[in-house]
Amino acid sequence: MITHEVENQAAARVGVDEFAANASLVEAVARWGSGVGDGTDGAAPVLHEVGRLVGSASFQRDAELANIRTPELRTHDRWGHRIDEVEYDDAYHRVIRSAVARGAHTSAWASRRPGANVDRAATFLLFAQVEPGHACPVSMTHAAVPVIEQAASGLCDDWMPRLLSTEYDPRLVGGPAKASALVGMAMTEKQGGSDVRANTTRAEPTGEDGAWGRRYRLTGHKWFCSAPMSDAFLVLAQAPGGLSCFFVPRVLPDGSRNVFRIQRLKDKLGNRSNASSEVEFDGTDGWLVGEEGRGVVTIVQMVTRTRLDCVLGTAAGMRQAVAEAAWHVRHRRAFGALLVDQPAMAAVIADLALESEAATVTAMRLARAYDDDASDAEVAFRRLATAVAKYWVCKRGPGHAAEALECLGGNGYTEGFPLARRYREQPLLAIWEGSGNVIALDVLRVLGREPDAFDAFFAVVSEASGADAAFDLELAEAQAVVVELARADAATAALRARELAERLALVLQASLLVQHAPPSVADAFARTRLEGGGGSMYGALPVGVDLAAILARA
């Protein structure tokens, strides 16, 4: 008797064009990407190529290996010299090299065409869908560009061509020996966390002014520094004039290594392929970017864009979760039928697909607001909408991953299937660049300081007015809450900050789906997220939802 013949198991989901398979992403690129209005397909041909790459068996194997063979810290070489290097598996290098080669980092800055940020967001999303760890340095490099553009002309001239390069060179060298660069960030300290104004790292001016601007020496400890093998970092430190932003390269202009002591690598729940570290500065050279005392204002341009990438990264994870769960239920039989043909399972997959589609269209609409041709109203819209989406979409990620994992049963809970890795990954995106309360309180700060952002936000959201009664009611209620909290005392407003962020996020998502998604998707979203027709768990859909139409898009 053969006891180990394998049957009724879904084959690996490989050989797929992940771009073509993601209907909402394809539609968003066609709607907002660079090809709009010029009679071309824009970035679509490149995105199809990326989709086939990340959907290949070899890329998915590299994604797995990069998370199994995790980065290792080498503080000293064999002769005892301090080197502070992190070694990555070759699989990681292959993954990030592919992403950089296709502009997942800075292609939007290289092009600057209308829709360029949409094209870049779609590329970033596709790579992050399969291997999220490498997306951290890719995202930070993208987000660092507008900050470095404010630096002294010599620094900007030396570094911008390297940031825009589509080459990938993992060596820790400087000058003409290396034509490309990745940039990281070091803000967080152990005593302050998100409260960066509590930072104690000091920056003392050396009195030297050169092509890179004013030079300082930094002393202090950073509790989190992601991607420590990046070529340079944007760092917050206390200068004589207050908290300031500094450009800190790993290799100095003379070719010697800067003082950058990697104390240890963090042993993280997930995000294993990406090294996160504690670093010590001890007379470390840095160059002032912006003005002394204006460090937060300077670096917030980077933070805003990495927050958007947290939304994109969560949407990428949701897409992976839906794709893997939908694949499994279409190939697995139980109780005499395919799982997908059983109403309870069909409802769960459809509900997960709704969440994924809402996250994707929200992230892509936001990306369009970051293009160079953005109007003042679009800039105001993105100021609020980025925080709103960062709060809600990233908060929804962990629960979404857990439900999708359960669709695979015991397989989902085992290593080797990608959803176990995704389950550990999604909580990080809710923490990175401001956890829930930080972001919700940021929404309140916008309410108090930038009321034009709320006007711009509601102008965008109201474009769907009159198309759905449930949406119109929720929109009116959200506007009423804004008015109410604008008049409330600080404690009451803070207590309801999460409620406000959630309401704003849901009306934004509903508005975009009502305008741009098929009626089956928009109707189901409104009935389950706005009317309360569903329960608090995925799969509790009301009678009448068009499951077949939603599943066809999944």
Side-chain angles (χ1 to χ4, degrees), residues 170-445:
R171 297 175 302 154
L172 189 54
V173 295
K178 190 169 183 179
S180 61
L182 297 176
V183 176
M185 177 177 16
M187 295 195 298
T188 307
E189 298 184 8
K190 53 184 175 288
Q191 78 285 343
S194 296
D195 183 9
V196 294
R197 295 192 183 277
N199 284 5
T200 61
T201 296
R202 304 188 315 276
E204 301 293 338
T206 65
E208 302 173 56
D209 287 341
W212 285 15
R214 297 171 61 190
R215 191 169 188 164
Y216 290 69
R217 293 275 161 75
L218 277 61
T219 304
H221 180 260
K222 292 296 180 180
W223 190 236
F224 278 99
C225 174
S226 290
M229 280 301 289
S230 297
D231 299 279
F233 297 83
L234 292 173
V235 176
L236 290 181
Q238 299 286 357
L243 190 65
S244 306
C245 180
F246 297 91
F247 180 84
V248 176
R250 287 294 313 265
V251 179
L252 296 171
D254 64 5
S256 64
R257 292 196 177 184
N258 205 355
V259 180
F260 194 89
R261 306 290 188 231
I262 304 176
Q263 302 299 96
R264 62 172 176 167
L265 300 186
K266 299 289 192 179
D267 187 8
K268 297 174 293 184
L269 169 68
N271 201 242
R272 307 288 294 188
S273 68
N274 176 44
S276 298
S277 65
E278 295 174 34
V279 298
E280 193 83 21
F281 301 135
D282 186 9
T284 302
D285 287 292
W287 281 262
L288 181 68
V289 180
E291 302 174 23
E292 270 197 15
R294 302 272 294 171
V296 173
V297 173
T298 301
I299 208 168
V300 76
Q301 295 181 75
M302 182 179 191
V303 173
T304 299
R305 285 173 168 80
T306 49
R307 283 180 176 178
L308 171 59
D309 281 357
C310 285
V311 180
L312 285 161
T314 303
M318 287 182 175
R319 175 57 196 166
Q320 181 185 42
V322 168
E324 293 291 337
W327 177 268
H328 178 83
V329 302
R330 290 184 189 278
H331 294 84
R332 176 81 167 177
R333 301 183 70 86
F335 310 110
L338 286 172
L339 289 174
V340 73
D341 293 331
Q342 301 183 36
M345 181 60 79
V348 170
I349 301 296
D351 213 357
L352 291 170
L354 288 177
E355 197 72 35
S356 173
E357 182 148 354
T360 298
V361 72
T362 300
M364 299 303 286
R365 172 62 180 87
L366 265 177
R368 182 64 179 91
Y370 279 82
D371 282 329
D372 280 7
D373 67 338
S375 64
D376 291 344
E378 278 285 277
V379 172
F381 163 73
R382 81 187 190 206
R383 170 68 182 95
L384 177 59
T386 302
V388 165
K390 166 65 169 77
Y391 172 79
W392 182 246
V393 173
C394 297
K395 277 290 182 190
R396 297 288 282 176
H400 187 276
E403 192 68 56
L405 179 155
E406 188 178 324
C407 293
L408 275 66
N411 284 354
Y413 200 67
T414 59
E415 302 299 338
F417 289 85
L419 293 194
R421 188 164 67 244
R422 179 58 63 180
Y423 179 66
R424 294 192 299 272
E425 192 73 29
Q426 291 294 62
L428 177 61
L429 294 163
I431 296 170
W432 254 345
E433 310 304 358
S435 54
N437 282 346
V438 171
I439 302 298
L441 292 173
D442 190 33
V443 172
L444 276 187
R445 279 190 286 273

Side-chain angles (χ1 to χ4, degrees), residues 89-115:
D89 188 75
D90 287 344
Y92 174 87
H93 291 305
R94 287 192 292 270
V95 167
I96 195 169
R97 179 176 286 111
S98 295
V100 170
R102 288 155 182 86
H105 60 328
T106 55
S107 60
W109 300 109
S111 167
R112 295 186 182 266
R113 294 178 59 194

Side-chain angles (χ1 to χ4, degrees), residues 495-508:
L495 189 63
R496 297 182 62 188
R498 286 184 172 224
E499 175 197 347
L500 174 61
E502 178 178 337
R503 282 185 175 275
L504 294 175
L506 286 173
V507 294
L508 174 59

